[in-house]
Amino acid sequence: MTLALDRTAVPAETATPLPAVAGARLRVPLVTGDEIGYANLDHAASAPCLDAVRDAVDEFLPWYASVHRGAGFASQVSTKLYERTRDIVRRFTGARAGDTVIFTRNTTDSFNLLARAVPKNTSVVVFDSEHHAALLPWRGPNVHRIPLPATRLAAVSAVDSALAACAEGPRLVVLTGASNVTGEVLPVAEIAAVARRRGARIALDAAQLSPHRRVSLRESDVDYVVFSGHKLYAPFGAGVLVGRADWLRAAQPYLAGGGASKAVSRTGEEIGVVWNQGPERHEAGSPNTVGVYALGVACEQLAANREALEAHEHVLLEKLRRGFQSVPGLAELRLFEDAGDRVGTVSFVLDGFEPGWLAAVLSAEYGIGVRDGAFCAHIATRGLIARTGVDAKQAVRVSIGLGTTEEHIDRLLLALRQIVARGARWSYAVVEGRWAPTPDPRALPSFLRD
């Protein structure tokens, strides 16, 4: 048996400065009839799969079987792999002794689980600038929503004031680690200190932070952290919720079913259930063992290459933002007036150019993939666009990561300058709600052809 059950270390002789990603050599067709290497500048939506993750999954698949209650050898292998991944995620998130690791589908699933688990009448403080995954699960009179802050200091002060206005009882601050709209890193440790002083817990949305920066529950003194595998170069449908176990143990299971139940009995017409107390309490049903394993491998790969990854992205981000200054009419969206740390995500509006049209042109004529819209953060995006003074309701987002090269950045900047100067070389129309080249001569890959 060659399956590696523990990938906690990458041997020095095999380590690479940057882990490779699937699709790094992908070529896409252009409407002009040419073909070009794909410039994936949409990592913030879904990152490509790491080669190491793909290889690990391929190695594991023959051993895949049910977990936890199977006597067969393959089931024992799968169970060991699944549970060892909890330890990998625990290390990756700097979890404390006693913290629980619950596997979910994604960040949205994790926040909905947490929202179901908070004690009754918990006061929740959340910024309007949050992604919908962190914004929408919290409803009712005990939710205190904070408008977009202008500075990092104002963000800390706003949380302090909101917590002071909360009723007595449990309190929770929900906070993103890095904005999915602007890439700006929020003052997590400072806000956590305020939360502690006010007797509140803090839940950190690390979906955009964890692919770019080290995350530590212990060091940042937050109570919960959530993120998704598909943002972390492991697009196999798994996410996590890591944090304090007491609220989660006391809550009703997120889903009722096998795995969550320890014992089930019947007395007359009544069904009695004894629920599990560990993380499996909220993991009912057959788990996504493959996705969980993929997530664990990605965590180890990123942890082992963190310094190289940060240096790589810093160079590209600086080049991108400097280049934006040479594009007439381009206004970058920003949360804060003051400078600070940021990850490789930047959104902008281009005066006189509709974002959906611009994204379609970049794809069809230049082979560049970006995101257009309000990025599932509608309140934040529209508020930040209003600050620019540009008449627009949506924006374009560029997000970099592993696989992004300087050529990709150069190509984007050249494309934007050419579009401003001479417009598009093709005709475009709204087709089924989105801008598209008309006609579109690009052939789909063979697996999508009729």
Side-chain angles (χ1 to χ4, degrees):
M1 185 173 99
T2 61
L3 180 63
L5 290 174
D6 192 0
R7 297 171 180 268
T8 55
V10 179
E13 64 271 16
T14 62
T16 56
L18 287 174
V21 298
R25 292 166 293 280
L26 178 67
R27 296 185 67 81
V28 294
L30 304 180
V31 290
T32 57
D34 298 320
E35 192 179 78
I36 195 169
Y38 185 52
N40 182 358
L41 298 177
D42 195 19
H43 286 70
S46 282
C49 183
L50 287 176
D51 282 357
V53 168
R54 179 196 58 206
D55 294 344
V57 167
D58 285 346
E59 184 183 19
F60 168 57
L61 283 176
W63 295 92
Y64 169 75
S66 61
V67 299
H68 293 146
R69 290 170 299 282
F73 191 70
S75 288
Q76 294 176 40
V77 169
S78 293
T79 298
K80 196 170 187 65
L81 203 66
Y82 187 82
E83 292 303 330
R84 280 193 177 182
T85 302
R86 288 196 208 276
D87 294 332
I88 292 168
V89 171
R90 183 180 299 278
R91 290 192 293 271
F92 185 77
T93 58
R96 301 155 296 234
D99 282 345
T100 191
V101 176
I102 298 174
F103 294 119
T104 65
R105 292 177 296 174
N106 47 43
T107 302
T108 302
D109 199 33
S110 295
F111 269 122
N112 276 272
L113 192 167
L114 183 60
R116 288 271 299 274
V118 299
K120 187 178 180 180
N121 297 324
T122 296
S123 296
V124 177
V125 172
V126 59
F127 283 102
D128 280 342
S129 53
E130 294 297 323
H131 185 275
H132 293 168
L135 182 71
L136 297 182
W138 317 100
R139 303 294 181 93
N142 293 326
V143 179
H144 302 256
R145 304 195 184 280
I146 304 175
L148 303 181
T151 65
R152 287 172 172 80
L153 181 61
V156 177
S157 178
V159 171
D160 194 20
S161 297
L163 287 172
C166 289
E168 291 296 321
R171 301 170 184 180
L172 178 70
V173 177
V174 179
L175 179 69
T176 190
S179 168
N180 81 304
V181 180
T182 70
E184 290 164 287
V185 176
L186 276 78
V188 175
E190 292 84 349
I191 290 175
V194 165
R196 287 285 170 267
R197 192 165 62 249
R198 294 290 185 181
R201 296 189 181 190
I202 185 166
L204 180 67
D205 176 359
Q208 299 294 335
L209 185 66
S210 57
H212 307 279
R213 297 287 186 275
R214 191 167 68 90
V215 173
S216 174
L217 283 152
R218 188 184 304 106
E219 292 179 14
S220 58
D221 198 22
V222 301
D223 299 275
Y224 305 95
V225 64
V226 305
F227 56 86
S228 297
H230 75 101
K231 309 284 191 187
L232 207 70
Y233 305 94
F236 288 84
V240 292
L241 165 61
V242 186
R244 300 195 183 279
D246 54 348
W247 285 1
L248 295 160
R249 280 198 304 262
Q252 286 295 306
Y254 183 47
L255 297 172
S261 55
K262 185 176 183 180
V264 179
S265 59
R266 179 173 176 174
T267 303
E269 297 301 316
E270 296 297 321
I271 296 292
V273 183
V274 177
W275 301 109
N276 277 313
Q277 288 299 304
E280 61 269 23
R281 181 182 185 87
H282 298 291
E283 293 178 354
S286 296
N288 178 7
T289 308
V290 174
V292 165
Y293 179 47
L295 175 62
V297 174
C299 286
E300 292 178 321
Q301 287 289 310
L302 293 185
N305 293 276
R306 184 64 75 186
E307 289 185 8
L309 173 59
E310 290 187 20
H312 166 75
E313 292 186 352
H314 176 76
V315 170
L316 295 177
L317 182 61
E318 290 297 304
K319 183 182 186 70
L320 175 67
R321 297 189 68 210
R322 282 197 309 271
F324 275 170
Q325 298 173 15
S326 68
V327 181
L330 187 148
E332 184 182 321
L333 305 192
R334 293 183 60 179
L335 269 175
F336 302 123
E337 297 169 358
D338 50 331
D341 188 21
R342 58 192 305 157
V343 300
T345 297
V346 184
S347 295
F348 67 90
V349 287
L350 192 56
D351 198 10
F353 295 89
E354 204 278 328
W357 177 90
L358 182 58
V361 176
L362 290 172
S363 173
E365 300 182 21
Y366 297 91
I368 299 170
V370 296
R371 179 78 27 167
D372 65 279
F375 320 123
C376 288
H378 294 178
I379 297 173
T381 303
R382 289 166 184 164
L384 296 177
I385 291 172
R387 290 180 183 177
T388 69
V390 175
D391 183 16
K393 291 184 174 59
Q394 297 183 331
V396 174
R397 183 178 69 189
V398 177
S399 49
I400 61 180
L402 292 170
T404 306
T405 68
E406 292 197 49
E407 187 277 327
H408 295 163
I409 303 300
D410 289 335
R411 194 194 315 172
L412 172 68
L413 296 171
L414 175 63
L416 291 173
R417 289 192 292 266
Q418 288 182 346
I419 291 168
V420 170
R422 70 187 189 201
R425 293 172 287 172
W426 207 261
S427 61
Y428 295 82
V430 176
V431 179
E432 297 181 351
R434 290 197 57 81
W435 284 96
T438 54
D440 190 346
R442 296 172 296 175
L444 293 172
S446 58
F447 58 82
L448 275 178
R449 294 173 192 163
D450 293 334

